[in-house]
Amino acid sequence: MPSSKNLVIVESPSKAKTIEKYLGRNYHVVASLGHVRDLPKSQMGVDVEHDYEPKYISIRGKGPVIKDLKKEAKKAKRVYLAADPDREGEAIAWHVSHLLGLDVDGKNRVVFNEITKDTVKQAFKSPRSIDMNLVDAQQARRVLDRLVGYSISPILWAKVKKGLSAGRVQSIALKLVIERENEIKKFVPEEYWTIESIFKHDKEKFKANFYGLNHKKIDLPNNDKVQEVLGKIDKKADFDVEKVTKKERKRFPAAPFTTSSLQQEANRKLNFKTRKTMMIAQQLYEGINLGKKEGTVGLITYMRTDSKRISKVAVHEASQFIHEEYGEPFAAVKMRKDKNQEGAQDAHEAIRPSSIYRTPKSLKDILTRDQYRLYDLIWSRFAASQMTPAVFDTMSVDITQNDVMFRANGSKMKFQGYRKVYQSTAESNSKDNILPDLQEGDKVKLQSNDPSQHFTQPPARYTEASLVKALEENGVGRPSTYAPTIDTIQRRYYVKLNGKSFEPTELGGIVDNLIQDYFPDIVNVDFTANLEDELDNIEEGKENWVKVVDRYYKPFEKELKSAEDKIEKVQIKDEPAGIDCDICGAPMVIKLGRYGKFYACSRFPDCRNTKPIVKEIGVVCPKCKKGQVIERKSKKNRIFYGCSRYPDCDFVSWDKPVGRNCPKDQHYLVEKKVKGGRQVICPNGDYEEAVQK
């Protein structure tokens, strides 16, 4: 007999708990624990001959969950599907609907962009039917990714190594990392010089940089050119203040976060990996228990979005809060209109706090440290976006003598504006540079010249933040795909992290070359970006998903047949290690495994002796004086130094020992990274010296 309760199905238990509290006693909320049906892992699962019909099966291990859902649905008065408000959520709702035998056209789908009491209750007043356009868009991506992945991977297994994979977005991410590495290798540094000088006006000193000759900017390519310029200067004579330009400049706040900009800033500011950012954002979205007064509340709006749009209600509340907290001068007068990235779906608002009145400070004792730090970042960025610009007084001064021109630039903050609550990573490093009150016609004296030699630097390797930015700028992938993509290329050992930067591995290079040579469309950025646009068209009902898949699969199928015949088996040769096996005495070799290179006995499988490869730094352990100091990596991929005799000797150091002792107290010296380079210091005292190059 049907129960008097309505059943609501969501993805996660924490979301279920939050929503059940809002809906009250007439509703029972349960979790499907993500997807319940998917393509089988053991086979392609797509019928290419019959309109790419996917063969869905219940996910292994989900039997008890599905059984419980069916049992609850049978006795429920009515069933609502309240998965997340995106393609993935729509697909989950559709699969659950199929398993429970619900009417696809029935109005049982409920969506909300934030998990707060009013928003959730309002959403249940106007349920809709499942949007098959959204389902088809997700289905097209899933089918195409399966066709590509399950077609190329067996070739990689047969021709290169077991356990490899290839996919549309991951192949482009790998290609970007490798292209950047090639740019770095080809880079030829160019010499250039600067002249920074100290001038004096009355009793005040200030810095100015060489600008040019005869009012024209010139470069200083070498020391000869520097000496030529310095030869024109009369150190005893005054310089003339020829031009003083004073301006008032405004700096406007950044837009609220999209998924991509949140991932980038959390990586730069908080050192969070992309996956960690999304995991914590999900927790904040699904609900945190704030105690008896408020109960469980979703603290932020939905975290998968490419839109910078904000609702009028949120703008009004932010304006009210800023007036109350900071005063009228800090509250923006006009509602800002931020331009979305080209191709953005704009399905949801930007990421913002569900209520600006829940300040990070008020939640500090409730949230975990990581939750607090991410919430603080989201809250501050949103609050700042609704505030007035920061105002600076800037001053540019041209100083001349004998046609030699120096320029001094100064700035001073006149009004904080949005910077009262938030500064981006770049802004937090900028400081006021205040110049004396100089007037045109004043005389200043040269105190000193400091010519410096520099060399142009190669482009920086990708970090997680800059790789996400590059994928977004190229239109590859969507907000939900960046984290799993970056995770996959690391797990497959196609790239490795060196500090915060990605470096391609030898295996990554081999896989990339094969895909570039035989499947050029897969790594063609425009080809993949166009597919994203077509998936958007399916979502909007403008395209048929089968036709889109067919358009992309047909040329790929031809490449596939050609590749199977032409690709020769790649031999990843074992390198001689130069040491013998300490079990059987045979020569050891260097092998390439799933997690990098390692030593193995050349008699494998008869002898299974293996050893990790350790990098000696040529320094004897300062503690036991017997072992060698070797470079190791922590679980978080941070380099540290330890004794090769571990566990017999427990010496460890985050900083690199240099093999010399401090002349003051004989403690071992280490090389430490400092602002502007590296320095040799004594960890025990105040001794320091420059690094010897």
Side-chain angles (χ1 to χ4, degrees):
M1 187 178 170
S3 133
S4 58
K5 286 196 176 187
N6 296 302
L7 179 68
V8 181
I9 301 171
V10 296
E11 307 96 307
S12 76
S14 58
K15 187 175 173 182
K17 206 183 289 181
T18 308
I19 292 169
E20 189 161 271
K21 284 180 183 175
Y22 295 158
L23 295 175
R25 65 177 70 176
N26 292 329
Y27 291 84
H28 178 41
V29 188
V30 296
S32 69
L33 305 177
H35 275 281
V36 288
R37 290 201 310 164
D38 196 9
L39 299 172
K41 283 188 175 181
S42 57
Q43 53 182 275
M44 180 74 79
V46 177
D47 189 345
V48 177
E49 303 299 321
H50 297 90
D51 288 343
Y52 305 97
E53 183 70 33
K55 176 190 172 185
Y56 293 116
I57 61 166
S58 299
I59 294 170
R60 184 177 288 179
K62 282 290 181 80
V65 175
I66 295 167
K67 191 178 174 184
D68 286 347
L69 290 177
K70 285 180 175 177
K71 183 182 166 187
E72 293 292 341
K74 206 174 249 184
K75 62 183 183 183
K77 182 180 170 186
R78 187 172 174 184
V79 179
Y80 291 98
L81 307 168
D84 285 348
D86 56 11
R87 289 176 190 166
E88 206 70 26
E90 207 70 22
I92 289 172
W94 179 66
H95 285 301
V96 170
S97 168
H98 178 87
L99 284 175
L100 301 184
L102 303 179
D103 180 6
V104 178
D105 297 322
K107 296 197 180 299
N108 53 21
R109 177 80 171 111
V110 179
V111 290
F112 31 81
N113 191 44
E114 59 185 80
I115 303 177
T116 54
K117 195 169 186 176
D118 291 345
T119 309
V120 170
K121 284 197 157 185
Q122 197 61 39
F124 273 83
K125 288 179 183 176
S126 51
R128 60 169 172 78
S129 57
I130 289 170
D131 187 336
M132 285 309 296
N133 291 334
L134 280 172
V135 174
D136 287 345
Q138 190 273 345
Q139 196 161 234
R141 180 192 289 282
R142 187 77 187 92
V143 164
L144 203 51
D145 284 347
R146 173 56 67 99
L147 289 169
V148 170
Y150 271 47
S151 299
I152 299 181
S153 296
I155 295 175
L156 294 177
W157 281 45
K159 306 292 186 180
V160 185
K161 188 172 170 292
K162 278 194 172 183
L164 303 184
S165 71
R168 291 181 312 108
V169 182
Q170 76 176 58
S171 297
I172 287 183
L174 174 61
K175 179 190 175 187
L176 289 172
V177 172
I178 288 175
E179 282 179 346
R180 178 59 55 88
E181 195 67 22
N182 292 338
E183 285 174 45
I184 292 167
K185 284 176 183 171
K186 288 176 189 170
F187 183 80
V188 179
E190 290 181 16
E191 182 185 4
Y192 72 97
W193 287 69
T194 57
I195 306 172
E196 189 183 82
S197 302
I198 306 288
F199 289 88
K200 192 175 183 182
H201 177 255
D202 292 335
K203 291 181 180 179
E204 291 185 89
K205 290 181 181 178
F206 63 96
K207 289 178 183 176
N209 292 301
F210 171 73
Y211 180 80
L213 299 171
N214 300 313
H215 298 91
K216 285 184 181 176
K217 185 173 174 62
I218 67 158
D219 296 324
L220 299 171
N222 50 48
N223 193 27
D224 292 342
K225 194 70 179 174
V226 172
Q227 296 309 318
E228 184 188 317
V229 169
L230 294 178
K232 292 175 181 286
I233 297 171
D234 182 351
K235 290 182 181 178
K236 292 178 183 177
D238 289 341
F239 275 71
D240 296 316
V241 175
E242 191 176 84
K243 187 180 177 186
V244 177
T245 309
K246 291 181 179 179
K247 285 182 181 175
E248 184 182 89
R249 289 228 169 121
K250 288 182 179 179
R251 180 173 279 166
F252 288 85
F257 284 126
T258 59
T259 304
S260 163
S261 58
L262 175 64
Q263 289 172 351
Q264 291 171 53
E265 194 70 351
N267 183 250
R268 286 190 290 252
K269 264 196 168 179
L270 309 178
N271 204 20
F272 282 5
K273 288 183 177 292
T274 311
R275 183 173 283 280
K276 180 177 180 177
T277 300
M278 296 312 289
M279 182 186 74
I280 296 167
Q282 184 90 31
Q283 293 165 5
L284 296 174
Y285 165 70
E286 289 186 346
I288 303 289
N289 192 339
L290 304 183
K292 287 181 182 177
K293 194 177 177 184
E294 285 196 89
T296 305
V297 179
L299 296 180
I300 63 168
T301 52
Y302 194 51
M303 64 283 152
R304 291 190 179 91
T305 178
D306 52 15
S307 175
K308 296 172 185 174
R309 175 173 52 81
I310 292 293
S311 71
K312 287 180 181 176
V313 175
V315 170
H316 176 72
E317 188 190 56
S319 175
Q320 195 175 317
F321 174 83
I322 294 161
H323 272 92
E324 292 168 10
E325 193 71 19
Y326 304 109
E328 192 176 334
F330 288 90
V333 181
K334 288 182 180 178
M335 185 175 172
R336 65 185 286 159
K337 285 186 180 177
D338 292 295
K339 200 175 178 184
N340 285 334
Q341 180 95 3
E342 193 178 336
Q345 292 171 272
D346 197 31
H348 310 295
E349 282 185 69
I351 304 167
R352 62 167 175 83
S354 52
S355 171
I356 198 170
Y357 281 93
R358 289 190 200 98
T359 62
K361 191 179 176 183
S362 69
L363 301 175
K364 192 162 190 179
D365 294 337
I366 296 166
L367 302 176
T368 66
R369 182 173 179 267
D370 285 342
Q371 286 173 344
Y372 169 77
R373 292 171 77 204
L374 192 67
Y375 181 70
D376 183 47
L377 194 66
I378 293 167
W379 186 94
S380 303
R381 174 87 162 221
F382 170 67
S385 76
Q386 304 303 308
M387 292 172 79
T388 46
V391 182
F392 296 85
D393 281 333
T394 64
M395 187 174 175
S396 177
V397 181
D398 291 347
I399 306 159
T400 59
Q401 186 210 81
N402 297 338
D403 295 327
V404 178
M405 182 172 158
F406 283 80
R407 179 169 285 176
N409 290 308
S411 69
K412 183 185 177 184
M413 190 185 285
K414 188 177 180 180
F415 177 67
Q416 273 184 298
Y418 74 90
R419 289 180 68 154
K420 194 170 181 70
V421 298
Y422 178 82
Q423 292 178 41
S424 67
T425 319
E427 289 176 312
S428 54
N429 296 328
S430 62
K431 291 177 182 175
D432 283 354
N433 177 33
I434 302 167
L435 298 177
D437 189 18
L438 298 166
Q439 306 294 328
E440 288 175 10
D442 282 352
K443 305 285 184 186
V444 295
K445 288 194 179 295
L446 176 67
Q447 298 292 292
S448 64
N449 284 318
D450 182 16
S452 298
Q453 182 188 37
H454 309 274
F455 290 93
T456 52
Q457 296 297 307
R461 288 189 175 100
Y462 284 111
T463 60
E464 282 209 13
S466 56
L467 187 54
V468 166
K469 189 178 182 185
L471 289 169
E472 185 185 40
E473 285 174 349
N474 283 300
V476 175
R478 280 294 179 258
S480 59
T481 63
Y482 300 139
T485 296
I486 290 170
D487 196 49
T488 301
I489 59 174
Q490 288 178 85
R491 278 191 294 105
R492 299 280 181 240
Y493 196 64
Y494 295 161
V495 302
K496 61 181 179 181
L497 269 177
N498 185 351
K500 278 189 170 186
S501 304
F502 286 120
E503 287 180 17
T505 62
E506 183 186 345
L507 182 61
I510 290 167
V511 171
D512 181 64
N513 284 337
L514 282 178
I515 292 172
Q516 296 258 30
D517 291 345
Y518 296 100
F519 306 102
D521 285 342
I522 299 299
V523 283
N524 181 316
V525 171
D526 293 335
F527 182 89
T528 304
N530 288 340
L531 174 60
E532 297 296 346
D533 293 338
E534 299 215 28
L535 291 173
D536 293 345
N537 289 338
I538 295 169
E539 182 173 323
E540 290 162 23
K542 297 175 185 174
E543 286 263 23
N544 176 278
W545 80 269
V546 174
K547 286 180 181 175
V548 169
V549 171
D550 195 60
R551 244 188 337 262
Y552 281 84
Y553 182 67
K554 281 288 188 275
F556 170 71
E557 194 177 27
K558 288 176 186 172
E559 291 174 353
L560 199 63
K561 285 172 183 169
S562 167
E564 283 172 342
D565 300 332
K566 291 180 182 175
I567 294 180
E568 292 179 13
K569 191 167 176 64
V570 178
Q571 286 290 335
I572 302 177
K573 291 179 183 175
D574 297 336
E575 304 167 43
I579 55 171
D580 292 334
C581 175
D582 47 14
I583 291 177
C584 72
M588 295 286 273
V589 292
I590 298 172
K591 285 186 174 287
L592 182 63
R594 189 169 180 179
Y595 301 105
K597 292 184 176 181
F598 63 96
Y599 292 133
C601 182
S602 56
R603 289 183 61 243
F604 177 87
D606 297 326
C607 176
R608 293 180 174 269
N609 184 24
T610 60
K611 280 183 174 182
I613 294 175
V614 292
K615 185 179 173 184
E616 291 185 358
I617 65 168
V619 171
V620 175
C621 173
K623 188 170 184 179
C624 70
K625 313 290 185 195
K626 293 177 184 176
Q628 285 285 321
V629 175
I630 58 173
E631 194 178 280
R632 296 180 182 273
K633 279 195 177 179
S634 70
K635 285 180 182 176
K636 293 190 175 179
N637 220 41
R638 187 178 163 192
I639 290 172
F640 70 97
Y641 301 89
C643 181
S644 59
R645 293 180 64 244
Y646 177 84
D648 297 328
C649 174
D650 62 357
F651 168 77
V652 285
S653 169
W654 287 115
D655 302 312
K656 185 179 180 180
V658 297
R660 291 183 289 117
N661 289 341
C662 174
K664 288 188 176 182
D665 64 3
Q666 293 306 303
H667 191 277
Y668 67 90
L669 294 172
V670 295
E671 189 179 300
K672 193 176 180 73
K673 194 174 181 182
V674 293
K675 198 173 181 182
R678 304 189 76 83
Q679 217 164 29
V680 171
I681 65 157
C682 175
N684 227 16
D686 58 359
Y687 177 81
E688 59 183 50
E689 62 182 57
V691 170
Q692 294 174 0
K693 291 185 179 177

